[in-house]
Amino acid sequence: MQNARVSTPNRIVIVGGGSGGISVAASLLARQRSLEITIIEPTDVHYYQPGWTMVGGGIFSIADTRRSMANMIPKGVKWVKDTVVTFDPANNSVVLGSGSKVQYDRLIVSPGLKLNWDGVDGLRDSLGSNGVTSNYRYDLAPYTWRLVQEMKAGHAVFTQPGMPIKCAGAPQKAMYLSADHWRRKGRLKDVSIDFCNAGGVLFGVADYVPALMEYVSRYGSNLRFGETLIRVDGPAKTAWFQKSAADGSKSVVETKFDFLHVVPPQTAPDFIRESPLADQAGWMDVDQQTLRHKKFSNIYGLGDVTNTPNAKTVAAARKQGPVVAYNVLSDMGIGRGSAIYDGYGACPLTVERGKIVLAEFCYGGKLAPTFPPSLLKGTRPTRTAWWLKAHVLPSVYWNGMLKGHEWLAKPAIRP
């Protein structure tokens, strides 16, 4: 594809300057430098969100997880610093918060998802004090680590909302890293731990559950399935959960806490849910293999906003970016066939400081290891996986994925 002549209108507009948006822009330019690309993104900062769990565990510095958006937009790409209100696919335009419109020939949508902090009564007002925290926010991950260090005894509660959520392993990673610190400091015997999960299983891919259950047992964690956080009172240090029983009945469970790590419920952004691009559940409606919109053929989506049945992780976006880049250019007459996304996602499950279970899987929960099982012991925790997470993956993100280098991410092509 490199340096092929563009013979069709080539205005490409990308909504979102996060992992998906920046990576797909870089992958497009790596294939064809002459493209006219615009990124619409309202914020000044780009975050490496997978690092926030490590910040909450005292491993990463929070400052290392952010960079200026101006420095992340690929050279030659126009940056429109504005919000998106809605889409007008009939006229190939994006409607902005300022009232203006941006025209496109191909549109790529990757705005991430919405963390619904207001979806739990009292949560927003409770965060950041009285022991209530969340690694899902940049400003709160350091507070998590402070609370972990300060806690000598008491009741620690970790929550996980209903799916889908960003990085489904992150809620329990927070539990493991916190418990490991208390264990190392000799405090674990004085800390009771509850993991309140709205779902019915610890992890969606069963092959990894045995190793995780060993750590649940090691830390003495109490698994409370079918419990959804509905209300928090920070000053009273009390949380309420709606418990769903097997027979369909529901009840409310009151829980006192000294430490509460909350993962908020999550949805597609409002401007997606209320747009013609959304499916009935509000997520962007795309073909799960080509990532092309099911109704509008010149629109593509990637990242957390789509309705593809894969884990919503940076690892997924890393594989999706090249797929969308290839398919957009193929649609423009540059290249042949379609690139195929197989649903790959990865979740480095940080079970203790120095060891990780590297969960890699694709559609249907099929295991999809990048490296030989002899190196990473398949579904077992390893120090090698920790080394990858702590030292290799941040560099792959900043210097590879966001620069158009598709290391171990070349898409499969279907004729």
Side-chain angles (χ1 to χ4, degrees):
M1 283 191 183
Q2 188 72 33
N3 297 323
R5 181 177 295 276
V6 179
S7 58
T8 59
N10 66 349
R11 294 172 302 173
I12 299 173
V13 172
I14 300 172
V15 174
S19 304
I22 298 293
S23 68
V24 75
S27 284
L28 282 164
L29 291 173
R31 290 171 165 80
Q32 174 57 252
R33 295 299 307 178
S34 65
L35 297 170
E36 180 186 332
I37 301 177
T38 298
I39 288 180
I40 304 172
E41 169 57 50
T43 63
D44 289 313
V45 180
H46 181 101
Y47 296 105
Y48 178 57
Q49 296 180 34
W52 293 349
T53 297
M54 301 288 266
V55 172
I59 296 135
F60 283 3
S61 164
I62 192 63
D64 291 336
T65 68
R66 61 174 287 163
R67 293 193 182 177
S68 165
M69 186 66 71
N71 293 332
M72 302 313 301
I73 303 287
K75 185 177 180 181
V77 172
K78 180 182 178 182
W79 178 18
V80 174
K81 190 179 175 186
D82 204 341
T83 58
V84 172
V85 174
T86 191
F87 303 90
D88 182 6
N91 295 298
N92 290 341
S93 67
V94 179
V95 182
L96 304 182
S98 61
S100 60
K101 294 185 177 182
V102 177
Q103 300 295 134
Y104 62 82
D105 296 298
R106 270 84 184 173
L107 176 66
I108 301 171
V109 182
S110 186
L113 49 65
K114 174 184 176 180
L115 299 175
N116 187 16
W117 300 105
D118 295 316
V120 176
D121 185 31
L123 176 58
R124 187 180 290 276
D125 292 336
S126 298
L127 286 165
S129 61
N130 298 303
V132 183
T133 189
S134 179
N135 289 339
Y136 275 66
R137 239 173 62 178
Y138 172 86
D139 60 322
L140 292 176
Y143 182 56
T144 300
W145 176 230
R146 194 185 103 192
L147 292 174
V148 170
Q149 291 176 290
E150 292 175 350
M151 187 151 178
K152 304 296 191 295
H155 186 200
V157 178
F158 298 82
T159 78
Q160 178 170 320
M163 294 296 179
I165 64 170
K166 181 195 301 284
C167 190
Q172 59 186 287
K173 292 184 211 177
M175 175 181 68
Y176 298 138
L177 282 174
S178 300
D180 183 55
H181 178 79
W182 297 325
R183 179 184 66 85
R184 292 171 186 267
K185 294 296 182 180
R187 305 173 191 166
L188 189 58
K189 65 183 184 302
D190 299 314
V191 178
S192 63
I193 300 172
D194 281 345
F195 184 65
C196 301
N197 185 345
V201 295
L202 182 60
F203 193 69
V205 182
D207 297 76
Y208 297 103
V209 171
L212 300 177
M213 284 301 299
E214 290 177 15
Y215 280 89
V216 168
S217 182
R218 171 188 290 191
Y219 299 136
S221 301
N222 177 36
L223 301 181
R224 293 166 47 178
F225 293 118
E227 295 197 21
T228 303
L229 181 66
I230 57 174
R231 181 185 168 201
V232 177
D233 185 333
K237 293 203 168 184
T238 306
W240 290 264
F241 296 83
Q242 179 175 276
K243 181 175 180 61
S244 300
D247 62 2
S249 63
K250 298 184 185 298
S251 59
V252 174
V253 179
E254 180 180 297
T255 300
K256 297 288 186 179
F257 64 83
D258 298 289
F259 172 106
L260 178 65
H261 180 273
V262 177
V263 177
Q266 297 162 38
T267 67
D270 294 345
F271 72 90
I272 296 292
R273 290 190 294 114
E274 297 164 1
S275 80
L277 306 187
D279 65 8
Q280 290 186 340
W283 301 93
M284 187 175 173
D285 195 15
V286 301
D287 178 86
Q288 69 176 34
Q289 292 187 318
T290 64
L291 304 178
R292 185 197 294 258
H293 196 274
K294 291 179 180 177
K295 181 178 179 181
F296 306 108
S297 62
N298 63 337
I299 299 178
Y300 295 78
L302 75 155
D304 295 345
V305 76
T306 71
N307 62 355
T308 53
N310 59 274
K312 295 184 182 295
T313 66
V314 164
R318 185 173 67 86
K319 289 294 188 80
Q320 292 171 348
V323 168
V324 171
Y326 187 98
N327 288 340
V328 166
L329 293 180
S330 181
D331 189 39
M332 294 167 63
I334 310 169
R336 297 179 179 177
S338 298
I340 299 301
Y341 172 58
D342 63 2
Y344 176 87
C347 184
L349 292 153
T350 315
V351 290
E352 64 174 293
R353 192 183 187 105
K355 283 191 178 181
I356 279 176
V357 176
L358 182 56
E360 296 181 280
F361 44 91
C362 54
Y363 288 138
K366 180 182 178 182
L367 301 192
T370 300
F371 304 101
S374 58
L375 179 64
L376 291 178
K377 297 183 182 179
T379 59
R380 302 298 302 167
T382 67
R383 296 193 181 280
T384 302
W386 172 271
W387 177 77
L388 285 170
K389 168 73 173 177
H391 302 290
V392 177
L393 293 183
S395 181
V396 168
Y397 181 80
W398 295 117
N399 303 313
M401 174 179 172
L402 301 189
K403 302 295 183 183
H405 303 300
E406 298 169 8
W407 302 327
L408 300 175
K410 295 289 185 183
I413 308 301
R414 180 177 63 194

